[in-house]
Amino acid sequence: MPQEKVIVTAALTGSVHYPSMSPYLPLNPKQIIEDGVRSAEAGAAVLHIHVRNPENGMPTPDLDIFREVLTGIKAKTNAVICLSTGGGMGMSTEQRATPLITFKPEMASLNFGSMNFSVFPGAEKIKEWKYPWERLAMLASEDYIFPNTFKTMREFLSIFAANETKPELELYDLGMVNNVAFMINRGHLKPPVHLQFVTGILGGVPSTVNSLVTLVNACREAIGVDNFTWSAIGSGRYQMPICAVALAMGGSVRVGLEDSLYISKGVLAKSSAEHVEKIIRIMRELSLEPATPEETRKTLRLKGSDKVNF
Ligand code: KMH
Ligand code: ZN
């Protein structure tokens, strides 16, 4: 049976899209804050946050930029902040962990296995580059392995526990389900865990109905039906179709410019808020309601926005 309330997450800028791909990708703190506030007003209960160097749009672990964005969003919305610990390509594990340790958010992403993570085919479509680093970074991703070893995951999980931050486990492939079950069995993770199934990344599962059904069923078997909540991401063109499948299966959804730059065929989205409005229109047609931030805190057992360090 589908759930009645759906947690809508807006992922505002991420690190897999590049400034040359869309003039609407928010790059500086003011733009990220504005898009976050608009997305929350449109009905997103969770805002997933990366930050970028305002000079050139490159993903950065800079704590001052994070602080500006986090405090700016918190001043204007009650939305749950879900910090990224995936960071950007080439960031060290320490650089990915420091924002979590510093700001102690209610929630943060945790990528649950190492994988090829590539965006290089996208470089062929770009005619004019805004910044020189973009082309080099995109092409370098052909040889990139996103490192999330068992030791890294274990160390991250102890940081999450020490800060009472709820991990949102990002699963890109079937083997990662096994990683979750293993970490629960070893006592490094306490159920119920919250999972984010990511489809359509080159290096992970394709964006198909079967991928999502297989991942969810594998979790039901390996982790137990009552031991997880979940949400789904469809990358690029498959953002809305995968979210629609997730809704039909009783899951929650993530939208936003981190995952797709388009709002419809050939039309760039001007803000993640447009995606939020669109998925909520689809939800209402399916008699589903968006969860409020407070309902989300209750469902995911979050510590509360008064216990973060920003
Ligand atoms: N960029 C997405 C494919 C993270 O930030 O830790 C997954 C993601 C991971 O959001
Ligand atoms: Zn992210």
Side-chain angles (χ1 to χ4, degrees):
M1 282 293 287
Q3 61 195 26
E4 278 167 24
K5 296 272 176 145
V6 174
I7 300 167
V8 176
T9 297
L12 305 175
T13 188
S15 60
V16 300
H17 287 137
Y18 289 73
S20 297
M21 292 173 162
S22 169
Y24 305 114
L25 188 66
L27 304 180
N28 64 47
K30 187 169 170 282
Q31 292 167 334
I32 298 172
I33 294 166
E34 267 174 26
D35 275 12
V37 173
R38 286 180 61 195
S39 297
E41 285 169 356
V46 180
L47 301 175
H48 173 72
I49 307 289
H50 295 242
V51 294
R52 294 175 182 264
N53 177 343
E55 305 289 312
N56 60 9
M58 190 189 268
T60 174
D62 187 299
L63 294 178
D64 290 332
I65 299 177
F66 262 114
R67 186 174 293 103
E68 188 177 344
V69 169
L70 297 177
T71 53
I73 289 177
K74 194 182 173 198
K76 293 196 179 137
T77 84
N78 179 33
V80 173
I81 303 278
C82 175
L83 215 61
S84 171
T85 70
M89 191 171 67
M91 282 184 206
S92 68
T93 310
E94 198 188 337
Q95 285 174 321
R96 288 163 48 196
T98 307
L100 168 67
I101 296 165
T102 308
F103 299 112
K104 310 182 189 314
E106 291 181 84
M107 211 173 157
S109 64
L110 180 57
N111 296 270
F112 230 61
S114 301
M115 61 186 287
N116 289 335
F117 194 122
S118 289
V119 293
F120 65 93
E124 294 156 15
K125 296 182 201 139
I126 297 179
K127 299 205 173 65
E128 238 178 81
W129 296 93
K130 263 192 201 148
Y131 304 106
W133 69 269
E134 299 179 79
R135 185 171 169 274
L136 297 177
M138 280 183 92
L139 294 178
S141 75
E142 186 181 9
D143 198 27
Y144 180 60
I145 296 171
F146 186 22
N148 297 288
T149 64
F150 281 98
K151 182 166 180 275
T152 301
M153 293 189 284
R154 176 173 57 72
E155 288 174 352
F156 260 116
L157 284 173
S158 73
I159 299 171
F160 274 84
N163 292 293
E164 292 180 85
T165 298
K166 174 105 176 187
E168 177 189 81
L169 307 177
E170 315 291 318
L171 306 189
Y172 301 77
D173 215 340
L174 196 53
M176 295 187 189
V177 172
N178 209 19
N179 300 352
V180 178
F182 175 80
M183 290 305 214
I184 291 174
N185 289 339
R186 283 293 166 109
H188 298 305
L189 256 177
K190 267 201 210 89
V193 293
H194 185 57
L195 310 176
Q196 182 74 265
F197 300 114
V198 187
T199 70
I201 294 292
L202 187 58
V205 292
S207 283
T208 63
V209 174
N210 265 339
S211 292
L212 196 55
V213 170
T214 303
L215 283 162
V216 173
N217 280 340
C219 288
R220 287 177 178 149
E221 283 176 3
I223 302 167
V225 183
D226 297 326
N227 289 334
F228 69 99
T229 49
W230 66 276
S231 171
I233 298 171
S235 305
R237 150 88 186 81
Y238 293 95
Q239 180 177 65
M240 293 295 161
I242 286 293
C243 285
V245 174
L247 293 174
M249 290 173 68
S252 283
V253 292
R254 181 174 114 172
V255 293
L257 295 179
E258 171 162 352
D259 302 325
S260 170
L261 295 170
Y262 290 84
I263 189 67
S264 57
K265 195 170 164 49
V267 182
L268 289 168
K270 294 196 172 64
S271 157
S272 294
E274 287 188 9
H275 288 152
V276 175
E277 285 162 6
K278 181 166 176 171
I279 196 65
I280 290 181
R281 279 200 303 277
I282 294 170
M283 282 162 49
R284 294 233 150 96
E285 291 296 328
L286 302 173
S287 303
L288 294 167
E289 287 294 318
T292 64
E294 281 317 316
E295 288 165 339
T296 300
R297 290 185 170 96
K298 210 165 149 211
T299 304
L300 300 182
R301 305 178 193 192
L302 305 181
K303 65 179 175 178
S305 59
D306 53 331
K307 298 198 178 65
V308 301
N309 193 31
F310 56 89

